[in-house]
Amino acid sequence: MIALSARPILAFVFAAALAGCSEGESRMQKGFEDGLKTSFVESFGESCRAAAEGSGAPADLAVKVCKCTADELIKKYSASDLIGLSPEMASPVMKQCAAKSGLPI
């Protein structure tokens, strides 16, 4: 039987543990981003619908355009970008979704 020194074994275990930590960290980061995006969709959807309906848009059309816009925004922007989303960033996406829904722009 070959005798193994403890030092290489400990180095291997330590390297494996570090790799596991980085995987856990990236899973945690992904979970955070996914949660933030889910929260964004809900919050944006409610605000968008309220504003659209307040301006006289039919409720069903407001829901359709706002959902499309929120879905496209989370595809286009990172979670950190969504936190600082400006009207200038959202406007072209909203216009695109409105056009898809048959609204004149």
Side-chain angles (χ1 to χ4, degrees), residues 75-92:
K75 288 179 193 174
K76 185 173 182 172
Y77 295 110
S78 69
S80 59
D81 290 335
L82 293 172
I83 291 171
L85 187 72
S86 69
E88 292 78 25
M89 294 166 68
S91 182

Side-chain angles (χ1 to χ4, degrees), residues 26-46:
S26 58
R27 279 195 303 261
M28 197 163 63
Q29 178 69 22
K30 182 170 176 7
F32 172 76
E33 288 184 15
D34 289 348
L36 192 133
K37 287 183 175 186
T38 299
S39 177
F40 171 82
V41 168
E42 292 171 5
S43 177
F44 179 86
E46 290 173 17

Side-chain angles (χ1 to χ4, degrees), residues 44-64:
F44 179 86
E46 290 173 17
S47 298
C48 178
R49 284 189 303 274
E53 290 174 18
S55 297
D60 60 332
L61 192 56
V63 168
K64 185 176 180 180

Side-chain angles (χ1 to χ4, degrees), residues 4-19:
L4 295 174
S5 151
R7 183 167 278 166
I9 294 171
L10 288 175
F12 176 76
V13 170
F14 184 68
L18 285 177

